[in-house]
Amino acid sequence: AVVSTQSTGSSGINAEYGEEKRGDILADKITYRKMLEQKMDSISQNRIIVSKEQARAQQEKEKIKSPPKIQSTELDSLQRKLEEKRAERMKMKTAQQMTLQGGPVKRTVNLEAEKRAMEERRWKELEQSRERIAKLGTKADRTTLMT
């Protein structure tokens, strides 16, 4: 009888220990879940804050990119004057190009003629120098034959 009480006594302690252990595990799980929920809430709030900040920054960029459009009669008249001056400059530029087109062509023709003339003079000088060398060579041959 004594043996059975000891075994039931130790099993009772084991049962109490097991219940206590299960209670601790459940308490730890509940604490862990609460901690995870708090972190998830914190992450969610931070995402909301970041997205609001990004939206505000984007709006500021758009404000900077597109200045407010101000239309006034003075501004319109200045734009018209500017366009008229541009058109006038373009007309003058095309007129100048038309008058200058004849000039460069004539200059090119003159340069080509000068180049041809220089080339002919060079060839004539080359021929004359070779003729002199040939004459000197024949004179040198005659003097060596005479001696």
Side-chain angles (χ1 to χ4, degrees):
V2 176
V3 175
S4 65
T5 52
Q6 285 181 351
S7 63
T8 55
S10 65
S11 68
I13 292 175
N14 284 339
E16 287 178 18
Y17 179 74
E19 286 293 322
E20 191 177 312
K21 189 78 168 167
R22 270 187 247 136
D24 289 343
I25 291 172
L26 285 175
D28 287 344
K29 278 186 173 182
I30 291 171
T31 308
Y32 184 73
R33 282 185 182 167
K34 284 183 181 179
M35 190 240 347
L36 285 179
E37 286 176 5
Q38 287 175 350
K39 285 194 178 197
M40 292 297 286
D41 287 341
S42 173
I43 289 171
S44 177
Q45 288 174 356
N46 286 337
R47 283 184 180 166
I48 291 170
I49 292 170
V50 168
S51 66
K52 284 181 181 179
E53 196 64 31
Q54 287 175 345
R56 187 186 57 78
Q58 184 67 25
Q59 287 175 348
E60 287 180 12
K61 278 185 182 180
E62 289 175 6
K63 283 181 183 178
I64 291 172
K65 280 184 181 178
S66 61
K69 294 182 179 181
I70 301 172
Q71 290 296 328
S72 68
T73 56
E74 186 178 341
L75 184 61
D76 289 338
S77 66
L78 288 174
Q79 282 181 335
R80 263 188 263 114
K81 284 181 183 178
L82 182 64
E83 289 173 12
E84 288 172 4
K85 286 184 179 183
R86 282 184 188 157
E88 188 178 324
R89 273 193 303 243
M90 290 299 290
K91 285 179 185 176
M92 289 179 69
K93 190 175 183 180
T94 55
Q96 283 179 345
Q97 286 177 349
M98 294 299 237
T99 57
L100 291 177
Q101 282 180 354
V105 172
K106 289 179 185 176
R107 176 129 172 86
T108 305
V109 170
N110 289 339
L111 288 174
E112 288 176 357
E114 284 181 36
K115 189 176 178 182
R116 272 189 248 113
M118 284 178 56
E119 189 85 15
E120 287 177 22
R121 272 185 266 145
R122 188 170 159 254
W123 281 108
K124 282 183 182 179
E125 289 175 4
L126 186 60
E127 287 176 9
Q128 289 173 358
S129 67
R130 291 209 174 186
E131 286 176 6
R132 273 188 245 128
I133 292 172
K135 283 181 184 178
L136 289 176
T138 55
K139 283 184 183 178
D141 287 341
R142 287 186 202 156
T143 53
T144 53
L145 290 174
M146 289 186 180
T147 53

